[in-house]
Structure formats: C-alpha cells, structure tokens
Amino acid sequence: MLTKDDLRRHSPAAWVSLAALLACAIIFWFIDRRGAAYGTLAALVGCLGLILPPRERMARLPQRLRRLPRVLDAAPILATLVTCPGYGLNWFYGANPYDEMVHLVNGVLAGAVFAGLLEHDGRDRGMRRRAWLGLGFGLALAVAWEVFEWATGLIGGPWDTASDIVLTTAGVALGAAWAGPLLLWRAGRAKPAVVH
C-alpha cells in the first residue's frame, strides 16, 4: 500500500512525463490513430507499474534497485514518449533521422539508469570506468533490442541494424559517463530512505 511518504518520494519529472504521455495518447485518439492511442495508454500503464511500487521499502529487492534515485523514474517514460511519434505518426519510416535520434536518446536515458544502479553505494567509479561499463551494457541492450525487432518483424535491414546498435551503445556509454557525477551530487544532498 502506498503511503504519503511514498508519494512524496516520487519524482515530479516522472509525473510530468506521464502527463505528456497521456496527452500524446489523447492526440492520437483525436487524429484517428486509435491503435497508437491504445498502445500509448498500455505503455503508460506499464510505466506506472515501474514507478508506483514503494521500492525503497521493498526489502526483497536488491539494494541497487532500492537506492535507485527516483528522478530516474522519468527515464522509461521519456523513452516511451520519444518513441511514440515513430509508431503513431509513422516517423520511423522514410528518409529522416528520427530512428537514429530515438536510439541515441533512449541509449542516453538507459545509460543514466545504468549509472544510478552502478553508483548505488555513493562511490564514484570515475567517468572512464562508467563509460567502459556502459559500452558493455549498451552493446548487450542494443543487441537484445535488435533481436526483438528481428523476431517481431520491425527490423529495417543490415545498415539500420548496425547503426541502431552503434547509436544505442554510444548513447548508453555517454549517459553512464555523464549521469554518474550528477547522481552522486544529488545523492549527497538527499539520501533515499532504505531498508537494510
């Protein structure tokens, strides 16, 4: 059960992002993109499932997850928000850089979450180490996503796959390298409540 303290810990950025996602679904509905509207609402429910649980009080979760800064709850919602026009308005198709931008931005968002998990104990691992670890994590994430695209028939071609992997991997490395110091600075100002 959520308490008032749980709700106070939630990130305002995540709630603003959820409101933007809801607005996106409403826009899709009114421009007669009903499938995109339903898909966006389903993604919104999934994002709520990620951010609502009071993970700080969930002793069964690994400490890394319990200490993940709440500001990072906005990351999966923003990733969904960046992706929505691609599916709802068919921006992924045609001669434009939208697909590449989505892979890079979503990689940076994933890298920020990775840095939050990596720096959970407040120890700075250094920008270079976070970048190298981010490269490994980003490559695994990008390849897993491309396998998913292949299995669901979303894949473009060999060049699209290669560029998607490179951009996602680079985005994760950048996000991990640069988000770490910001998260450590933020953690120094307000430590999350953690069950030991």
Side-chain angles (χ1 to χ4, degrees):
M1 194 67 149
L2 289 173
T3 66
K4 287 182 183 178
D5 285 338
D6 294 329
L7 292 174
R8 273 190 222 110
R9 278 194 285 268
H10 282 157
S11 165
W15 290 106
V16 169
S17 300
L18 281 169
L21 199 55
L22 179 60
C24 196
I26 292 168
I27 290 168
F28 286 154
W29 182 266
F30 282 111
I31 64 171
D32 207 26
R33 302 283 182 144
R34 303 291 161 85
Y38 290 132
T40 303
L41 288 174
L44 189 144
V45 170
C47 289
L48 275 172
L50 284 174
I51 70 167
L52 276 182
R55 66 174 175 259
E56 296 87 354
R57 296 188 295 117
M58 299 170 77
R60 289 181 178 233
L61 287 179
Q63 195 174 50
R64 287 181 192 279
L65 288 176
R66 285 184 280 143
R67 287 193 172 183
L68 189 65
R70 279 288 177 174
V71 70
L72 292 173
D73 286 352
I77 306 163
L78 289 171
T80 305
L81 196 55
V82 166
T83 306
C84 278
Y87 292 112
L89 302 174
N90 293 323
W91 287 1
F92 282 126
Y93 309 103
N96 65 61
Y98 184 77
D99 181 52
E100 289 76 13
M101 184 272 303
V102 167
H103 280 278
L104 184 62
V105 169
N106 285 349
V108 169
L109 291 167
V113 173
F114 179 71
L117 293 169
L118 192 62
E119 308 286 338
H120 78 285
D121 55 6
R123 287 183 31 235
D124 186 2
R125 275 133 182 108
M127 192 175 284
R128 183 179 294 165
R129 180 153 188 228
R130 277 191 308 274
W132 278 110
L133 292 169
L135 277 173
F137 175 72
L139 183 60
L141 182 67
V143 168
W145 178 255
E146 292 304 313
V147 168
F148 168 77
E149 280 191 354
W150 169 78
T152 57
L154 295 172
I155 201 158
W159 171 247
D160 177 62
T161 300
S163 67
D164 290 352
I165 289 172
V166 167
L167 288 167
T168 302
T169 302
V172 172
L174 286 171
W178 289 98
L182 295 173
L183 293 170
L184 289 167
W185 171 77
R186 184 173 172 78
R189 290 180 40 202
K191 295 278 185 193
V194 176
V195 177
H196 291 283

